[in-house]
Amino acid sequence: MTSRSLIAALTSAALLVSPAPAAAQSASGARPTSPAPAGTATPDAGAKAPASADAPNAPAANTPAASGAPPAEAPPRAPEKVDPGVFDKALKAYFDGKPRDAAGPLYAWLQAAPKTDENYAWGQYFLARSLIDLGLTHAGASYLARIARERSNPNVLPRALDALKALTDRPHDEVMIDQQVFGALDLGFLPEETGAYAHYQQGLVDLRVGNERWANTHFAKLPETSAEASRAKFALLVTRLKQAQEPSDEIIADFLALSEEEKLTREARNEAALAVARLRYERKDFKGALEAYDRVKLPELDPGRASLYLEEAWTRYKLGELRAALGILTTLDAPSFRDEFLPDKYLLRALIYRDLCHYLPAKRAAKELTRRFADSLEAVRNREDLTQDVRLRRAANAHGGTQRAARFLEVLELEGERLGRYAGSFGDRLFSHLTKLYDLSRAEAVRVHDARLAEAVRQEADTLLRAAEQVRLMEYEVGLKLYERVKKGARVVAPEDEQMLSPTQTAYRFDGEYWNDELRSYRVRIDSRCIEETP
Amino acid sequence: MRYALLFLLLLSPGLVRAQAEALENPGAVSAIQERRFRMHHELLLGVGVLPANAYYKGLVGTVGYTYHFNDTFAWQVGRGTYSYNLQTSLRRQLERDFNTSPNAVAFQDQVQWMVGSDLVWSPLYGKMAFLNSTVLHIEAFLLGGGTVVKLDRDGGFRPAVNVGLGMRLFTGKTLSLRLDVTNNAVFTGPTRVIQVPLIQFGTAFNFGATE
């Protein structure tokens, strides 16, 4: 692990620390109970109700023809007249659990109604909820974001923000939601939970542009006991770490405290523990690093992350626990990690075999790297477009901002396909509007993803090249060792005392079948073949 | 001499292959884990059947206490079983159609209750995957001991030798499910031995086990 990779890992971890799932009140699919617009037939319409939608402007008066303006080349289609009762019927359909029947009419009504209509924001809100309920989260989010930007109705706004916050748990449009809505909100009027999230997001934006003082202003407003406050601490620590030449004890202690913070999600606590482990590793406190790795708690039968195992294996190797390190490398051969991009794995295996004087396996492990990544190495050497290399592309898409961009792109593609199912029930206008929305969003998502991918594959290629270079050195060294002359009187190093099983332990001999509950328990029994030369 | 050479010649590919394998893939891998479930004081509540006798079927309830010395060896200090007996149609037919006395010797082998003690040896402990989503831990054991059986006759106390096997499914640190299949060889007379098999399913409560 280099300092650069450490910082990169921590930065991506900081960005990865995602907010806890929002309260059930605004989870998608849940029906809001009150207040709902008046004039609806909803059984649970609340007390605070906007007026009934009965007075849309006469659309014909606004058309260019009616006002006598010269016709443009491609005049916008005049909104059709919509019966004001449509809004009520659409709401009834929504509250009857038929979002599919509600979406089309709501859109038609929104097209016809003036933006100043009392129910306009409600129309947008319920259209958004209908779309989210139908699995079109991005389309729903775009309407919620509009409500947040327009702020025309103070009753609708908190609900829209709650719904938006709930959507941030899944892949989402970071620019539209995190930056343009939560990153730019006037925070005075927000309910506590949503306000905390907005403060957190705005602090993050400030941190990203290097304004720690401004970020602190936002973070100071977070309730002490909130999960956002803990996440903010994590983000601040990562920023300070970036700026510091040498990580101080204080930073490590702060990360350690965060790893025990119950308010954080398990994933975030694990990230903090990993940060401690990496920092201690950098400071060559390998025992401390191992303790920190032990703090990483995985859900039952969760295979965990390949990078975690590889880092732990390096730590054990540095501690001289070669057999334990080899056991962890066995873990990394599990099917769960078969597609992981871990060139270091082969290098470490070769190093361990070399240290145990098993030169043939060492050579084989070293060769395995160049064999397995032959196509990628060839692509690098030929200066081909690395984004087209399957392995490098997969590796780049596996973490950080590229992963988020790839996931969002997947969501858009999935929802774009899903949209086709509703072509009949949405009506032409909503369908064509959403098709256009998804096409545009997808094009932008592709652009963002491609930009991030290009940078990420370059970094992965760097990693691969470095490992390949070390492996070549290793092969050379092992080749020399293989043909080294054994001096007279030399003898094999006495085998280490085998660690007996304690009465509380059980041993399952590994025969190639991986069990998720055993992934952190593999140990290898292997004798050293090294010889010691007698003087 | 020629045969010896021929023998060595035939043996050599196997030896070379074994050595090549050891050179290429050295070492043996094991998963070393802390034993997840350990027993200490076990209280058993079980229900089962005495299925073998043609003249009656016993529905039994059992209470037992077992002390576990370690993970493989335990002493079932005491177990008491009461049998609620149901007469079979054969017996009813014999009594009805053939005037067989209800006190006939053959009918006096009914078990009323029994108490006993056993030693338990659990050599097998392992795990299974359930639907590839849950890991179940199990244990198999053999048991053997002595029993005093009360038969349905005057002065019906008889000694018996009990042997059997069982399986335990661990559901938690303090709870496990246990299936016992045992057989009591009851000495009913100087030269007469009857077999009383028992199939029993029980819930075992475990107290005092250390992590």
Side-chain angles (χ1 to χ4, degrees):
Chain A
M1 268 191 303
T2 62
S3 313
R4 196 174 141 217
S5 64
L6 171 71
I7 297 289
L10 289 172
T11 309
S12 64
L15 294 171
L16 188 85
V17 175
S18 57
Q25 48 142 1
S26 58
S28 68
R31 308 249 178 265
T33 50
S34 70
T40 69
T42 58
D44 49 356
K48 202 172 183 182
S52 178
D54 54 356
N57 279 2
N62 294 336
T63 59
S67 59
E73 262 185 25
R77 204 161 62 167
E80 289 170 11
K81 267 193 173 179
V82 177
D83 177 7
V86 166
F87 179 72
D88 297 343
K89 282 180 190 161
L91 276 196
K92 184 176 184 314
Y94 176 77
F95 282 104
D96 285 347
K98 298 172 185 165
R100 197 171 180 152
D101 296 341
L106 276 171
Y107 180 74
W109 181 82
L110 282 170
Q111 289 299 99
K115 286 192 174 179
T116 49
D117 190 292
E118 261 182 296
N119 284 342
Y120 192 84
W122 283 113
Q124 285 178 315
Y125 176 74
F126 284 108
L127 175 57
R129 296 303 302 249
S130 303
L131 294 171
I132 291 168
D133 289 353
L134 291 169
L136 303 171
T137 55
H138 176 66
S142 73
Y143 276 99
L144 294 173
R146 267 188 217 180
I147 297 171
R149 282 196 301 268
E150 290 166 3
R151 304 181 193 197
S152 57
N153 187 331
N155 290 325
V156 185
L157 189 54
R159 290 160 189 283
L161 292 175
D162 278 348
L164 263 184
K165 181 174 175 287
L167 289 178
T168 56
D169 292 338
R170 56 188 92 174
H172 60 279
D173 189 333
E174 290 168 10
V175 175
M176 181 179 77
I177 298 179
D178 295 340
Q179 289 181 26
Q180 292 178 353
V181 176
F182 288 108
L185 270 182
D186 177 7
L187 299 165
F189 62 93
L190 290 176
E192 187 176 322
E193 199 180 322
T194 312
Y197 183 74
H199 273 300
Y200 170 67
Q201 282 297 339
Q202 294 188 10
L204 274 190
V205 170
D206 289 335
L207 271 185
R208 279 186 197 129
V209 296
N211 278 328
E212 189 178 331
R213 199 163 55 86
W214 289 11
N216 274 327
T217 317
H218 286 294
F219 292 158
K221 290 174 186 161
L222 295 173
E224 277 277 320
T225 52
S226 68
E228 278 82 9
S230 302
R231 277 185 228 120
K233 269 185 221 164
F234 189 86
L236 269 175
L237 285 175
V238 172
T239 311
R240 277 182 205 152
L241 191 63
K242 271 188 196 174
Q243 293 159 354
Q245 295 287 327
E246 185 73 20
S248 64
D249 287 338
E250 191 192 342
I251 288 185
I252 295 177
D254 286 345
F255 272 121
L256 195 62
L258 271 185
S259 73
E260 291 160 358
E261 191 85 73
E262 286 300 320
K263 295 187 294 288
L264 284 175
T265 59
R266 177 162 26 193
E267 194 184 357
R269 284 201 301 272
N270 285 347
E271 286 299 339
L274 277 177
V276 174
R278 287 165 181 161
L279 292 172
R280 284 178 174 169
Y281 181 94
E282 289 297 312
R283 301 177 77 178
K284 303 201 186 315
D285 174 12
F286 301 122
K287 277 196 185 302
L290 267 190
E291 280 172 24
Y293 284 122
D294 283 342
R295 285 174 179 272
V296 175
K297 300 287 177 232
L298 299 172
E300 197 168 336
L301 298 184
D302 187 311
R305 292 218 315 253
S307 57
L308 160 74
Y309 292 116
L310 187 58
E311 287 169 19
E312 189 179 338
W314 274 111
T315 311
R316 289 195 182 273
Y317 174 73
K318 295 281 182 185
L319 274 172
E321 297 177 10
L322 303 183
R323 290 158 182 85
L326 209 49
I328 298 173
L329 292 180
T330 307
T331 303
L332 288 172
D333 289 336
S336 310
F337 308 121
R338 215 157 262 169
D339 290 336
E340 294 282 344
F341 182 76
L342 301 167
D344 273 14
K345 178 175 82 171
Y346 304 97
L347 178 66
L348 180 57
R349 182 171 283 145
L351 282 169
I352 294 170
Y353 280 135
R354 185 204 63 184
D355 289 359
L356 291 168
C357 303
H358 287 264
Y359 297 121
L360 277 178
K363 206 169 167 58
R364 218 160 53 98
K367 273 191 185 304
E368 182 70 8
L369 183 135
T370 41
R371 191 186 67 77
R372 191 166 283 256
F373 296 102
D375 292 346
S376 305
L377 287 167
E378 191 68 17
V380 175
R381 284 191 202 104
N382 294 340
R383 297 178 183 278
E384 290 171 16
D385 178 7
L386 297 182
T387 58
Q388 300 307 310
D389 182 84
V390 179
R391 282 180 185 280
L392 291 175
R393 191 184 170 93
R394 193 192 294 142
N397 275 331
H399 54 86
T402 320
Q403 184 190 44
R404 291 198 303 278
R407 284 186 180 167
F408 179 54
L409 188 55
E410 274 173 29
V411 165
L412 285 179
E413 280 168 359
L414 184 74
E415 292 187 4
E417 282 172 23
R418 194 176 287 154
L419 177 63
R421 271 194 252 153
Y422 304 120
S425 46
F426 277 0
D428 285 347
R429 295 176 68 182
L430 177 58
F431 181 71
S432 60
H433 168 70
L434 291 182
T435 306
K436 194 174 163 189
L437 173 79
Y438 272 96
D439 286 347
L440 284 172
S441 301
R442 192 182 168 282
E444 175 61 9
V446 167
R447 188 191 67 76
V448 170
H449 175 247
D450 285 351
R452 290 182 186 178
L453 186 68
E455 175 58 21
V457 287
R458 200 182 60 74
Q459 286 176 8
E460 300 299 345
D462 272 353
T463 310
L464 178 61
L465 281 177
R466 271 200 303 274
E469 195 174 320
Q470 292 194 51
V471 151
R472 270 198 300 278
L473 280 172
M474 161 79 63
E475 273 191 78
Y476 174 73
E477 194 182 331
V478 167
L480 290 179
K481 286 277 185 189
L482 262 177
Y483 300 107
E484 198 175 58
R485 181 172 288 181
V486 180
K487 287 181 184 162
K488 206 173 180 182
R491 60 182 179 190
V492 175
V493 172
E496 277 188 10
D497 289 340
E498 197 172 324
Q499 206 176 349
M500 296 294 287
L501 282 182
S502 78
T504 62
Q505 287 180 322
T506 49
Y508 301 95
R509 195 179 168 84
F510 178 72
D511 59 357
E513 184 177 277
Y514 285 92
W515 287 57
N516 277 10
D517 68 315
E518 292 174 355
L519 289 177
R520 290 183 91 167
S521 319
Y522 291 120
R523 294 289 177 270
V524 176
R525 207 179 66 193
I526 180 171
D527 291 331
S528 169
R529 289 163 61 96
C530 297
I531 49 174
E532 57 187 15
E533 289 169 3
T534 49
Chain B
M1 184 64 184
R2 271 187 303 173
Y3 287 115
L5 277 174
L6 185 65
F7 178 71
L8 282 175
L9 198 67
L10 290 172
L11 204 62
S12 55
L15 290 172
V16 168
R17 189 186 161 84
Q19 193 173 13
E21 177 66 24
L23 280 174
E24 287 189 357
N25 295 306
V29 186
S30 299
I32 312 286
Q33 294 185 309
E34 290 298 312
R35 189 175 163 121
R36 194 157 173 202
F37 299 105
R38 312 193 69 203
M39 303 294 290
H40 196 198
H41 297 285
E42 177 190 351
L43 177 67
L44 170 73
L45 301 176
V47 291
V49 288
L50 301 175
N53 195 300
Y55 303 123
Y56 80 100
K57 304 295 170 196
L59 302 178
V60 302
T62 298
V63 178
Y65 166 76
T66 307
Y67 178 78
H68 292 259
F69 298 105
N70 53 42
D71 291 325
T72 53
F73 197 65
W75 176 28
Q76 184 157 273
V77 180
R79 61 177 156 77
T81 302
Y82 175 80
S83 177
Y84 175 74
N85 298 325
L86 301 170
Q87 294 180 0
T88 60
S89 57
L90 172 64
R91 176 170 173 173
R92 285 197 299 273
Q93 191 180 13
L94 286 171
E95 287 178 356
R96 188 182 62 232
D97 299 341
F98 300 96
N99 293 326
T100 310
S101 163
N103 298 322
V105 177
F107 299 155
Q108 291 181 351
D109 288 342
Q110 280 192 41
V111 173
Q112 288 184 324
W113 50 264
M114 49 190 171
V115 292
S117 183
D118 305 288
L119 292 175
V120 184
W121 181 49
S122 316
L124 289 176
Y125 172 82
K127 52 190 178 183
M128 299 185 295
F130 177 68
L131 295 176
N132 206 23
S133 61
T134 310
V135 176
L136 303 176
H137 288 76
I138 55 162
E139 178 184 87
F141 54 85
L142 299 171
L143 53 82
T147 310
V148 174
V149 180
K150 171 66 174 75
L151 300 176
D152 187 15
R153 62 175 75 165
D154 290 338
F157 291 101
R158 293 290 183 274
V161 173
N162 183 40
V163 290
L165 49 88
M167 184 172 278
R168 183 193 305 280
L169 173 69
F170 293 95
T171 58
K173 300 274 183 205
T174 55
L175 199 70
S176 58
L177 304 175
R178 187 172 143 175
L179 176 70
D180 290 36
V181 180
T182 58
N183 183 61
N184 275 289
V186 185
F187 301 97
T188 53
T191 57
R192 187 163 175 262
V193 179
I194 60 167
Q195 307 297 332
V196 182
L198 166 66
I199 300 169
Q200 181 178 276
F201 177 76
T203 304
F205 300 91
N206 180 36
F207 304 102
T210 52
E211 289 293 320

